[in-house]
Amino acid sequence: MPIITLTTDFGEKDHFAGAVKGAIYSELSDIKIVDVSHSISPFNIIEAAYTIQNAYSSFPKGTIHIIGIDSELSPENKHIAVKLDDHYFICANNGIMSMICQDISPEKIVEINIHDKIQTSFPVLDVFVKVACHIARGGTLEVIGKVINNIKPIKYLVPFVNDDKTQIIGTIIYIDNYGNVITNIKRKFFESIQKTRSYEIAARNYKFNTVHDRYSDIINFDIPEEKRNDEGKALVVFNASNYLEIAVYKSNCSTVGSASTLMGLKAMDTVTVTFNKL
């Protein structure tokens, strides 16, 4: 029996996440359910896309991922099931899947069409669960939907590059639990524009000219530990997901502060990389 994962903006206070799990267990009592996150900011498509993109590949092939973000059915917000990288994704066609599909082409996409058989005002519970359990039993996508070829794109997915390729203008797409800010600039994209040139990274009034591979790269280990003052230092890294990230070493939003709190950075702010001439 495959795993079913849940990624939602339901939070922990309300009954929604528990009800979805109960519905799944009612159909498949021996299934495994894993919570990826129920703390996505309400209706935040980009935050959800970043989260699921970086979580799904850690699960075994055949895992089914329910994504419950902005899932109310409307003429402009259809429901889809996607087979991609030997995983299944069930969500609204609102851009969530476009971040993953930027790197990997889907094997199959269907627009779910079982709504006439289900009376619902809670589609994650009543529709997505039905689809997930159908797939878990070995059912095909064509039974629950009609094949389509495209998914809705998401805004701010690709950074802007000027004509002479001397500047990248990126966007902050995610702020993590440590207050680190993650941009939409990926390492491969950065290096394809850089071509060994030196650079300056600017976010508000803060500027950096080095991108580190690890947070601890800013530490001078030649200095005795008791004489270091490294906590709270700002830096830029390519994070574990290979996105350009502005961070504060050992940040804590309630004590030493974070990149978000200390620099006043928030989602959808711009981060600029300016390359020098060779």
Side-chain angles (χ1 to χ4, degrees), residues 107-111 113 141-142 145-150:
E107 299 163 50
K108 186 170 292 183
I109 312 167
V110 301
E111 186 177 290
N113 60 10
L141 296 186
E142 289 87 350
K146 62 178 181 179
V147 175
I148 59 174
N149 297 317
N150 297 302

Side-chain angles (χ1 to χ4, degrees), residues 156-208:
Y156 312 110
L157 189 60
V158 180
F160 171 80
V161 180
N162 64 356
D163 291 338
D164 61 2
K165 296 190 179 342
T166 58
Q167 193 172 73
I168 299 173
I169 300 177
T171 303
I172 294 171
I173 59 172
Y174 188 81
I175 299 174
D176 70 13
N177 189 53
Y178 301 95
N180 300 325
V181 298
I182 293 98
T183 75
N184 61 347
I185 304 171
K186 297 196 78 171
R187 181 196 288 263
K188 186 176 180 180
F189 182 87
F190 180 97
E191 292 175 347
S192 71
I193 305 299
Q194 178 194 8
K195 299 188 184 301
T196 73
R197 291 178 290 178
S198 58
Y199 52 83
E200 181 179 81
I201 299 168
R204 291 191 180 270
N205 297 322
Y206 297 87
K207 301 183 187 303
F208 307 87

